[in-house]
Amino acid sequence: MNAATALAAAGLDSSELRVLIQPIQPDQVPLRPAPALMRKVWGKGIQAMTLRNTVYVEPVVLAGSSRPLGLLVIHELVHVRQWRSLGVYGFLRRYLSDYLRGRRQKLGHRGAYRQIGLELEAKAIASQFKESGDH
């Protein structure tokens, strides 16, 4: 399966979304079931992880309802764009430095994760589609 398939099934593939994630082409982003080892190291509540151009999804979520999966895919497509624009080292440096800044501010894991700038951007874009329905 790829991201375009999931977006189409959820009724979320739109020109507005394409502008927000360009130059990423959803049909070129594979969605893969996350292997057991990957899921074991995920924090509680994590449903997907993007590594460069591939999105690894909790198998139950991947096989579940199309709308929640589509919204999750939008979030992850923003991460694919971020990986592409920042490069591997730029993405990892920014992601980890934001997380560590939160931890130095005495935030717990969840609090530090929630203030990562790259996560905030992905969440904000996905929420535009959640709140207003299909575009």
Side-chain angles (χ1 to χ4, degrees), residues 89-119:
Y89 296 113
F91 180 92
L92 293 173
R93 182 176 48 246
R94 194 159 165 201
Y95 199 96
L96 292 173
S97 67
D98 281 1
Y99 177 79
L100 292 173
R101 184 179 312 110
R103 294 304 300 238
R104 282 191 305 272
Q105 294 169 351
K106 306 293 186 212
L107 297 174
H109 166 71
R110 206 73 183 139
Y113 170 79
R114 288 186 177 142
Q115 62 89 43
I116 295 170
L118 297 170
E119 288 295 340

Side-chain angles (χ1 to χ4, degrees), residues 6-7 10 12 17 65-75 77:
L7 292 172
L12 292 167
L17 174 61
S65 299
S66 60
R67 182 74 178 187
L69 177 61
L71 291 168
L72 178 64
V73 165
I74 291 171
H75 178 102
L77 285 171

